[in-house]
Amino acid sequence: MLNGKTALVTGSTSGIGLGIAKALARQGANIVLNGFGDVDGPRAEVLAAGQAHGVRVQHHGADMSRAGDIEDMMKFSAAQFGRVDILVNNAGIQHVASVQDFPAERWDAIIAINLTSAFHTTRLALPAMQAANWGRIINVASVHGLVASAQKSAYVAAKHGIVGLTKVTALENATTGVTCNAICPGWVLTPLVQKQVDAKAAEHGLSNEDAKKLLLGEKEPSMQFTTPEELGELAVFFCSAAANNVRGVAWNMDGGWAAQ
Ligand code: NAD
């Protein structure tokens, strides 16, 4: 379905971004990976996912808190593949503290990586998408783009912000073949969330399994983690022709979290 298209997925060396990159590669899209840490393992996984289509995979190590790095990454992607047809703004970090104790430096980093980076990638990707009259921008927000939790001021502010950016981008392109939508996961058991499981285990003297149950029980009625594979399939749907007129939605995959 996505043969000949190119997808740039930010923060795709781990977790949800890697799951989305694999799902898009499985549909035939060439992939630009981005993110820190081991690159060879994720690259091999994405290549294997796209093997039947002979997809090509590149990596750019842009730090998403730096506008200059993001500009380099966009130029690199265009030089490698012609243009970015599918942009997945996924890179994100978390920090947990009450507002009065929240380190200002962590606030700035979360707003830069979880929100401002998406403004930069979007403004740089749009001209080529508009010229081709086809494009898909998928913002990985969170259920925290719709509702709040205590201790997560910067994250909730950034995620509400990216849902707003999603709507504006969708509206400005509403008469074109370029769509913009957000995905709002509940708990997904990635390194970002494992840190919060570890903190619960330490705080309450619990096993890893009991800490997971406590975390889910506080928020997620299904008592199940959403998986990167499920989120990847939602991204594939947003890229399909059936989603041509899906514009500006913030789509939960949250086990009922926001329905409460
Ligand atoms: P993760 O920690 O597994 O992966 C984060 C990715 O972002 C990694 O590839 C990492 O290298 C990259 N990254 C971090 N800082 C970066 C930077 N400055 N520049 C470039 N890349 C950077 O996290 P995840 O859980 O897969 O989260 C991915 C996205 O999904 C985030 O936006 C997060 O807020 C969102 N999300 C996660 C959950 C969850 O439960 N895990 C729920 C809702 C939303």
Side-chain angles (χ1 to χ4, degrees), residues 72-94:
D72 279 352
M73 179 179 69
M74 301 308 290
K75 282 188 195 144
F76 169 85
S77 304
Q80 292 293 325
F81 294 117
R83 71 165 175 268
V84 171
D85 304 284
I86 299 161
L87 168 65
V88 182
N89 289 308
N90 167 78
I93 59 169
Q94 176 63 284

Side-chain angles (χ1 to χ4, degrees), residues 24-224:
L24 297 177
R26 227 170 269 126
Q27 298 297 322
N30 292 320
I31 304 291
V32 181
L33 295 170
N34 158 258
F36 303 147
D38 173 42
V39 174
D40 291 343
R43 190 200 300 271
E45 286 185 44
V46 178
L47 277 170
Q51 195 175 18
H53 300 276
V55 303
R56 291 188 292 138
V57 180
Q58 295 287 353
H59 171 265
H60 191 285
D63 180 336
M64 298 304 286
S65 66
R66 296 175 185 215
D69 280 19
I70 295 171
E71 286 180 16
D72 279 352
M73 179 179 69
M74 301 308 290
K75 282 188 195 144
F76 169 85
S77 304
Q80 292 293 325
F81 294 117
R83 71 165 175 268
V84 171
D85 304 284
I86 299 161
L87 168 65
V88 182
N89 289 308
N90 167 78
I93 59 169
Q94 176 63 284
H95 185 82
V96 179
S98 53
V99 174
Q100 67 275 17
D101 298 327
F102 214 90
E105 164 275 321
R106 285 288 83 198
W107 171 279
D108 288 344
I110 289 176
I111 299 298
I113 295 165
N114 296 20
L115 175 58
T116 308
S117 70
F119 160 67
H120 289 303
T121 53
T122 300
R123 75 179 170 80
L124 294 166
L126 272 173
M129 291 181 178
Q130 289 163 344
N133 199 32
W134 197 91
R136 294 289 189 260
I137 300 173
I138 300 170
N139 292 325
V140 179
S142 165
V143 68
H144 284 117
L146 305 170
V147 297
S149 294
Q151 308 282 310
K152 296 186 176 176
S153 53
Y155 189 85
V156 170
K159 295 300 187 182
H160 275 65
I162 204 167
V163 169
L165 175 64
T166 302
K167 292 176 185 174
V168 173
T169 305
L171 288 179
E172 289 182 4
N173 292 280
T175 60
T176 77
V178 180
T179 71
C180 181
N181 294 291
I183 295 178
C184 297
W187 294 124
V188 187
L189 194 56
T190 65
L192 182 142
V193 162
Q194 186 60 48
K195 277 188 210 153
Q196 296 172 64
V197 173
D198 293 344
K200 282 253 178 278
E203 186 187 341
H204 300 284
L206 296 173
S207 68
N208 185 47
E209 281 314 303
D210 287 343
K212 282 191 215 163
K213 279 189 201 136
L214 183 62
L215 198 82
L216 286 167
E218 284 172 356
K219 298 283 184 183
E220 195 142 333
S222 66
M223 291 300 286
Q224 282 175 37

